[in-house]
Amino acid sequence: DVIWEIQEAGQALLAEEGFAQYEISAYARSELYCQHNLNYWQFGDYLGIGAGAHSKLTREDSREIERYSRPRHPKQYQQSPTDLVEQRWLDKADRVLEYMMNVLRLNAGFRLSHFEKITGLQRAFLLGSLKQAEQKKLLVQDGDQVQPTEKGRTYHNDLLALFLPR
Protein backbone atom coordinates (compact mmCIF):
# COMPACT_ATOMS: atom_id res chain seq x y z
CA ASP A 1 0.00 0.00 0.00
CA VAL A 2 2.83 2.39 0.84
CA ILE A 3 4.57 1.77 -2.48
CA TRP A 4 1.31 2.40 -4.35
CA GLU A 5 0.84 5.69 -2.45
CA ILE A 6 4.38 6.72 -3.41
CA GLN A 7 3.64 5.91 -7.05
CA GLU A 8 0.42 7.92 -7.04
CA ALA A 9 2.17 10.88 -5.37
CA GLY A 10 4.95 10.74 -7.98
CA GLN A 11 2.44 10.63 -10.83
CA ALA A 12 0.52 13.57 -9.36
CA LEU A 13 3.74 15.59 -9.06
CA LEU A 14 4.70 14.82 -12.66
CA ALA A 15 1.23 15.86 -13.86
CA GLU A 16 1.45 19.14 -11.90
CA GLU A 17 4.73 19.88 -13.68
CA GLY A 18 3.19 19.26 -17.11
CA PHE A 19 4.46 15.75 -17.73
CA ALA A 20 2.03 13.27 -19.30
CA GLN A 21 2.49 9.51 -19.19
CA TYR A 22 2.74 8.03 -22.67
CA GLU A 23 4.29 4.68 -21.80
CA ILE A 24 4.39 2.46 -18.72
CA SER A 25 7.61 4.00 -17.43
CA ALA A 26 7.91 7.23 -19.43
CA TYR A 27 6.53 10.74 -19.09
CA ALA A 28 7.10 13.76 -21.30
CA ARG A 29 6.06 17.37 -21.71
CA SER A 30 4.23 18.46 -24.85
CA GLU A 31 4.55 15.08 -26.55
CA LEU A 32 8.35 15.25 -26.58
CA TYR A 33 8.54 11.49 -26.48
CA CYS A 34 11.85 9.63 -26.57
CA GLN A 35 12.14 8.58 -30.22
CA HIS A 36 14.81 6.00 -29.43
CA ASN A 37 12.51 4.16 -27.02
CA LEU A 38 9.45 4.58 -29.25
CA ASN A 39 11.30 2.64 -31.91
CA TYR A 40 11.58 -0.30 -29.48
CA TRP A 41 8.00 -0.01 -28.23
CA GLN A 42 6.68 0.09 -31.80
CA PHE A 43 8.71 -3.05 -32.59
CA GLY A 44 11.07 -1.24 -34.94
CA ASP A 45 14.44 -2.57 -36.01
CA TYR A 46 17.71 -1.55 -34.44
CA LEU A 47 21.36 -2.39 -34.89
CA GLY A 48 23.46 -2.74 -31.75
CA ILE A 49 27.17 -2.00 -32.04
CA GLY A 50 29.72 -2.74 -29.34
CA ALA A 51 30.23 -5.07 -26.40
CA GLY A 52 26.96 -6.59 -25.21
CA ALA A 53 24.96 -4.99 -28.01
CA HIS A 54 21.66 -6.51 -29.13
CA SER A 55 20.03 -6.14 -32.53
CA LYS A 56 16.63 -6.81 -34.08
CA LEU A 57 16.38 -6.87 -37.86
CA THR A 58 13.41 -7.68 -40.09
CA ARG A 59 13.73 -9.06 -43.61
CA GLU A 60 11.71 -6.85 -45.92
CA ASP A 61 10.63 -9.66 -48.23
CA SER A 62 9.50 -12.33 -45.75
CA ARG A 63 8.98 -10.27 -42.55
CA GLU A 64 11.16 -12.83 -40.75
CA ILE A 65 12.74 -11.32 -37.65
CA GLU A 66 16.29 -12.02 -36.50
CA ARG A 67 17.73 -11.26 -33.08
CA TYR A 68 21.41 -11.40 -32.24
CA SER A 69 23.85 -10.18 -29.63
CA ARG A 70 27.57 -9.57 -29.31
CA PRO A 71 29.90 -10.75 -26.50
CA ARG A 72 29.31 -8.78 -23.29
CA HIS A 73 32.86 -8.56 -22.01
CA PRO A 74 34.76 -5.70 -23.72
CA LYS A 75 38.01 -7.67 -24.06
CA GLN A 76 36.23 -10.61 -25.66
CA TYR A 77 34.41 -8.23 -27.98
CA GLN A 78 37.68 -6.47 -28.93
CA GLN A 79 39.32 -9.78 -29.77
CA SER A 80 36.41 -10.91 -31.97
CA PRO A 81 34.05 -8.00 -32.76
CA THR A 82 32.18 -9.99 -35.41
CA ASP A 83 31.42 -12.95 -33.11
CA LEU A 84 27.81 -13.48 -32.05
CA VAL A 85 26.81 -14.81 -28.65
CA GLU A 86 23.27 -15.45 -29.81
CA GLN A 87 21.62 -15.49 -33.19
CA ARG A 88 18.07 -16.68 -33.74
CA TRP A 89 15.05 -16.20 -35.93
CA LEU A 90 11.80 -15.53 -34.10
CA ASP A 91 9.09 -18.11 -34.70
CA LYS A 92 5.45 -17.02 -34.96
CA ALA A 93 4.73 -17.38 -31.24
CA ASP A 94 7.83 -15.32 -30.36
CA ARG A 95 6.84 -12.62 -32.85
CA VAL A 96 3.40 -12.33 -31.26
CA LEU A 97 4.71 -12.21 -27.69
CA GLU A 98 7.58 -9.82 -28.40
CA TYR A 99 5.35 -7.50 -30.41
CA MET A 100 2.78 -7.39 -27.61
CA MET A 101 5.48 -7.02 -24.94
CA ASN A 102 6.56 -3.82 -26.64
CA VAL A 103 3.46 -2.14 -28.06
CA LEU A 104 1.34 -2.72 -24.97
CA ARG A 105 3.76 -0.55 -23.00
CA LEU A 106 2.37 2.43 -24.91
CA ASN A 107 -0.79 4.12 -23.63
CA ALA A 108 -1.85 4.54 -27.27
CA GLY A 109 -1.53 0.80 -27.94
CA PHE A 110 -1.37 -0.34 -31.54
CA ARG A 111 -3.31 -0.97 -34.73
CA LEU A 112 -4.03 -4.51 -35.87
CA SER A 113 -2.94 -3.44 -39.37
CA HIS A 114 0.45 -2.43 -37.88
CA PHE A 115 0.74 -5.85 -36.21
CA GLU A 116 0.18 -7.53 -39.61
CA LYS A 117 2.62 -5.24 -41.42
CA ILE A 118 5.43 -5.50 -38.86
CA THR A 119 5.20 -9.19 -37.95
CA GLY A 120 4.03 -10.60 -41.29
CA LEU A 121 1.30 -12.49 -39.37
CA GLN A 122 -2.47 -12.31 -39.67
CA ARG A 123 -4.47 -10.70 -36.87
CA ALA A 124 -6.13 -14.09 -36.36
CA PHE A 125 -3.08 -15.03 -34.24
CA LEU A 126 -4.30 -12.49 -31.66
CA LEU A 127 -8.06 -12.89 -31.63
CA GLY A 128 -8.45 -15.37 -28.75
CA SER A 129 -6.00 -13.51 -26.55
CA LEU A 130 -7.54 -10.13 -27.39
CA LYS A 131 -10.97 -11.43 -26.45
CA GLN A 132 -9.70 -12.74 -23.10
CA ALA A 133 -7.92 -9.45 -22.38
CA GLU A 134 -11.08 -7.49 -23.15
CA GLN A 135 -13.15 -9.73 -20.89
CA LYS A 136 -10.64 -9.09 -18.07
CA LYS A 137 -10.80 -5.34 -18.83
CA LEU A 138 -7.05 -5.25 -19.53
CA LEU A 139 -7.50 -3.70 -22.97
CA VAL A 140 -10.11 -2.20 -25.27
CA GLN A 141 -10.50 -2.59 -29.00
CA ASP A 142 -12.18 -0.11 -31.32
CA GLY A 143 -12.04 -1.40 -34.88
CA ASP A 144 -8.37 -1.58 -35.86
CA GLN A 145 -7.14 0.16 -32.68
CA VAL A 146 -6.18 -1.82 -29.55
CA GLN A 147 -5.24 -0.05 -26.31
CA PRO A 148 -4.32 -1.26 -22.87
CA THR A 149 -6.61 0.08 -20.16
CA GLU A 150 -5.24 1.64 -17.00
CA LYS A 151 -5.74 -1.77 -15.39
CA GLY A 152 -3.88 -3.39 -18.32
CA ARG A 153 -0.93 -1.02 -17.89
CA THR A 154 -0.90 -1.60 -14.13
CA TYR A 155 -0.99 -5.38 -14.61
CA HIS A 156 1.16 -5.45 -17.75
CA ASN A 157 2.61 -8.90 -16.98
CA ASP A 158 -0.87 -10.38 -16.54
CA LEU A 159 -1.88 -8.88 -19.87
CA LEU A 160 1.21 -10.29 -21.60
CA ALA A 161 0.58 -13.75 -20.12
CA LEU A 162 -2.53 -13.95 -22.31
CA PHE A 163 -0.28 -13.87 -25.39
CA LEU A 164 2.10 -16.62 -24.29
CA PRO A 165 2.23 -19.64 -26.61
CA ARG A 166 -0.21 -22.34 -25.61
Side-chain angles (χ1 to χ4, degrees):
D1 289 339
V2 172
I3 291 173
W4 185 251
E5 288 175 17
I6 292 170
Q7 173 155 338
E8 287 181 323
Q11 289 174 316
L13 179 62
L14 285 166
E16 286 172 21
E17 295 297 322
F19 288 86
Q21 184 179 20
Y22 67 97
E23 184 261 333
I24 285 177
S25 63
Y27 294 75
R29 286 185 175 149
S30 304
E31 298 187 6
L32 295 173
Y33 306 150
C34 177
Q35 298 303 303
H36 171 79
N37 287 348
L38 281 177
N39 181 58
Y40 293 134
W41 307 150
Q42 294 168 343
F43 210 51
D45 287 344
Y46 52 91
L47 181 61
I49 300 170
H54 291 255
S55 300
K56 175 192 164 279
L57 300 172
T58 306
R59 289 187 58 157
E60 284 295 318
D61 56 348
S62 65
R63 306 311 300 165
E64 291 177 303
I65 298 169
E66 179 184 21
R67 286 213 176 270
Y68 61 88
S69 60
R70 303 280 179 203
R72 295 181 89 172
H73 195 280
K75 285 187 180 186
Q76 184 184 359
Y77 173 76
Q78 287 175 333
Q79 291 169 355
S80 303
T82 59
D83 284 357
L84 298 177
V85 174
E86 177 188 31
Q87 182 177 18
R88 66 185 178 97
W89 293 93
L90 300 183
D91 63 22
K92 291 176 183 178
D94 286 336
R95 281 190 246 173
V96 169
L97 181 61
E98 287 197 21
Y99 181 87
M100 301 309 280
M101 196 178 333
N102 287 284
V103 297
L104 289 177
R105 292 183 63 90
L106 296 167
N107 289 6
F110 69 99
R111 294 193 171 281
L112 291 169
S113 53
H114 182 261
F115 168 80
E116 291 177 322
K117 177 182 174 188
I118 295 295
T119 66
L121 302 172
Q122 297 297 311
R123 62 186 71 193
F125 280 92
L126 302 178
L127 297 181
S129 298
L130 290 175
K131 184 176 180 178
Q132 282 184 291
E134 279 189 288
Q135 289 170 344
K136 294 178 183 230
K137 303 201 182 318
L138 296 172
L139 59 75
V140 293
Q141 183 177 346
D142 183 14
D144 194 46
Q145 184 67 36
V146 177
Q147 279 182 276
T149 61
E150 183 176 344
K151 180 180 177 183
R153 289 189 304 274
T154 301
Y155 299 102
H156 184 71
N157 288 343
D158 294 325
L159 176 54
L160 291 178
L162 298 174
F163 296 93
L164 288 170
R166 294 182 171 87

